[in-house]
Amino acid sequence: MSTAAVAEVFGALEPSAIADRRTAAEALTVVRDGVITGEGPTTKGRIHFSRALDADDAAWCARILGASALASQPVSRDEAEALFAINAAARERSDEGRFDDLFAKAVVHHAASASGLPVPSRDIALSPDVSIDSWAPTKAVGVNVEVLEWIASQMRAKRVSNATIMTLLAAVVGAATLPLAQLPAVFDIGM
């Protein structure tokens, strides 16, 4: 990639350059590529190992999803899919759980909003200082079955097994009454 192309991609990752959810999803794929290869505009100026996700990668994701142009829009399926891909790409984590928190909140935000349920703005919903319990649906009533099937297929395909997303999805699915150990059976996945 030429220097000009790298500069263009890097500029497109800045929140002020993100105009819509499609652009945000594309920017998240650049983060994913950096996680996979350890190279690229999101790793510039620092040591980054391939298949590793660090605090800077999590911060990139938070800045992209928090772009001001997206503030009043719910997390899109494309953005959620990009986060599933980042999660699957990262074999090592050194972000103190920040990505897992953001990932789970973004997926639940998408699932609830796609089901027509009320959700807070992104700055509230995705904030590390706001508990998901304060806004996420606590019952499956009103949750779109197609959305739940999509999440289950993503979890199976990407082998999602982190406890944070499993617990939070339990709230959306209404499986909160199930012991956490039984939740993988609901989605036909292993923890």
Side-chain angles (χ1 to χ4, degrees):
M1 185 180 283
S2 71
T3 304
V6 170
E8 183 178 324
V9 168
F10 190 72
L13 292 174
E14 288 304 321
S16 61
I18 295 174
D20 55 35
R21 297 182 300 176
R22 181 190 52 77
T23 307
E26 290 171 1
L28 289 169
T29 63
V30 173
V31 175
R32 181 212 56 212
D33 292 348
V35 167
I36 291 171
T37 65
E39 300 174 352
T42 61
T43 64
K44 188 174 172 116
R46 61 192 174 100
I47 296 172
H48 193 289
F49 298 101
S50 63
R51 296 292 181 173
L53 186 142
D54 62 20
D56 288 340
D57 297 317
W60 272 113
C61 293
R63 283 194 305 271
I64 291 165
L65 291 170
S68 60
L70 307 175
S72 64
Q73 299 175 40
V75 174
S76 71
R77 182 170 286 192
D78 289 342
E79 290 168 302
E81 284 177 348
L83 292 171
F84 272 107
I86 291 168
N87 184 67
R91 303 244 192 277
E92 300 293 326
R93 306 288 177 98
S94 60
D95 67 322
E96 298 180 3
R98 177 61 184 117
F99 178 80
D100 284 349
D101 180 66
L102 180 67
F103 173 43
K105 288 175 177 177
V107 170
V108 171
H109 195 261
H110 166 69
S113 66
S115 298
L117 300 172
V119 292
S121 63
R122 286 179 185 229
D123 62 326
I124 293 170
L126 304 181
S127 171
D129 300 324
V130 175
S131 169
I132 194 166
D133 296 334
S134 69
W135 62 265
T138 57
K139 296 183 178 140
V141 176
V143 178
N144 183 308
V145 172
E146 186 272 330
V147 172
L148 294 176
E149 289 171 349
W150 171 78
I151 291 171
S153 72
Q154 288 293 309
M155 293 178 73
R156 281 192 301 272
K158 306 286 192 303
R159 305 306 298 169
V160 175
S161 63
N162 77 52
T164 302
I165 196 152
M166 295 299 288
T167 301
L168 296 172
L169 288 174
V172 172
V173 174
T177 59
L178 293 175
L180 186 57
Q182 290 180 7
L183 191 56
V186 171
F187 288 109
D188 188 30
I189 58 174
M191 289 216 9

